[in-house]
Every structure is written in structure tokens, then in C-alpha cells.
Amino acid sequence: MKNYTDAELAAQPVGYWTRAANTTVVGYISSRLGELDVTQHHWWTLAHLGQSDKGLTREETIALIVRIRPYVDHTKMAPAIDDLLAREMLAPDAEGRLQLTDAGVQLRDRVKVLQIDSRTHIHAGVDDKDYVNAVKVLRRMIGNVGGDADYD
């Protein structure tokens, strides 16, 4: 990794670094999820259905995930749900509400461990104070240009 002076870094465009970080980190996470034959869309479905006591319909699942994560390509949600149904990770109850099967719970739990491990790897050498400061700076910049700097 090239070393830059603080003055050189201060002159570099934030857009470059945020795109580079997003592309690299999301690529890493997607690769790790692929080890368990899942995508982020699968993971979001497993995680959110696992938090629902009474399950969710397909439409409720998609709407919830798109609302919580507005950057999600919603066209990939239905195929992810269909794939999880075909792999018997989900099953509809008598009312058509999707529930995690035992295999789905096991997969969700394995992905949780993988996500924790991935976050630990991504954050290696970055203490919480530096991370918090970086997020505060990005939130300020987003707000400065009229964007929504909130995370739900």
C-alpha cells in the first residue's frame, strides 16, 4: 500500500475513497457469503425472517428489506426468496407467511458467524475511535450536500 502524506490525503477526492471502500468491502463480504452459497439478498431474508415471530409474507419481506436498506436492488429479492424456498431454508405456513425451517435457522446462524468474522477482518487495525470518527466525517459530508446521513 502506498504511503501518502497527510497533505496528499487531504487533497484527494472523498468520492474516490468511498467508492473504493464500498466496492472492495462489499466484494469481500459477497465472496465470504459465497462460501456458504448465499448472497446478501439471501442473508437479509434469513436475518429478517428470523427476527419475526409470526413470519412475513413474500411482499412484506421484500418491502421491509427495501425500506431498511434503500440501496438494495429489489429485483433480486424475489429470486433470493424463491431460491431459499427451493433449498428448503424457508417454508410457508398455512397462511402463506414465510418461516425459517430448521435448515434455514442453521444457515442463518452460520452466516451470522461468518459476518462477525468478516467484520473483525475488515476492522483489523482500526480502533473504534478511528472508525467512529470516519463515520462522523462521512455523515457530515453527506449532510453537507443534502443527503440523508441517517442509518436505520
Side-chain angles (χ1 to χ4, degrees):
M1 181 166 33
K2 183 178 177 181
N3 286 323
Y4 295 99
T5 66
D6 287 354
E8 288 172 323
L9 288 172
Q12 293 178 358
V14 68
Y16 170 81
W17 290 109
T18 55
R19 179 179 294 263
N22 179 271
T23 300
T24 305
V25 170
V26 170
Y28 173 79
I29 292 168
S30 294
S31 174
R32 291 296 315 273
L33 289 170
E35 294 170 17
L36 298 178
D37 196 26
V38 296
T39 65
Q40 286 187 316
H41 297 81
H42 289 112
W43 165 236
W44 294 323
T45 301
L46 292 167
H48 291 293
L49 283 174
Q51 295 172 359
S52 175
D53 293 335
K54 60 181 180 172
L56 299 167
T57 66
R58 168 190 297 272
E59 294 76 19
E60 289 170 338
T61 303
I62 294 170
L64 172 68
I65 293 168
V66 170
R67 183 180 50 92
I68 291 173
R69 304 191 185 292
Y71 53 83
V72 168
D73 179 354
H74 69 278
T75 64
K76 293 182 179 182
M77 288 307 309
I81 292 169
D82 291 339
D83 184 55
L84 291 170
L85 284 163
R87 291 166 55 187
E88 298 181 351
M89 301 295 163
L90 305 178
D93 65 13
E95 297 172 4
R97 301 182 76 74
L98 302 175
Q99 305 280 342
L100 294 181
T101 62
D102 289 343
V105 169
Q106 290 174 6
L107 178 60
R108 182 206 56 204
D109 292 347
R110 289 177 59 209
V111 175
K112 276 184 186 179
V113 170
L114 182 137
Q115 291 289 65
I116 291 167
D117 180 60
S118 294
R119 185 183 192 286
T120 299
H121 181 73
I122 292 165
H123 286 245
V126 179
D127 67 31
D128 286 347
K129 181 180 177 188
D130 286 342
Y131 179 75
V132 167
N133 284 333
V135 172
K136 285 180 178 180
V137 167
L138 291 172
R139 290 186 71 220
R140 171 64 61 103
M141 290 179 165
I142 292 165
N144 286 347
V145 295
D148 181 0
D150 291 332
Y151 177 83
D152 292 328

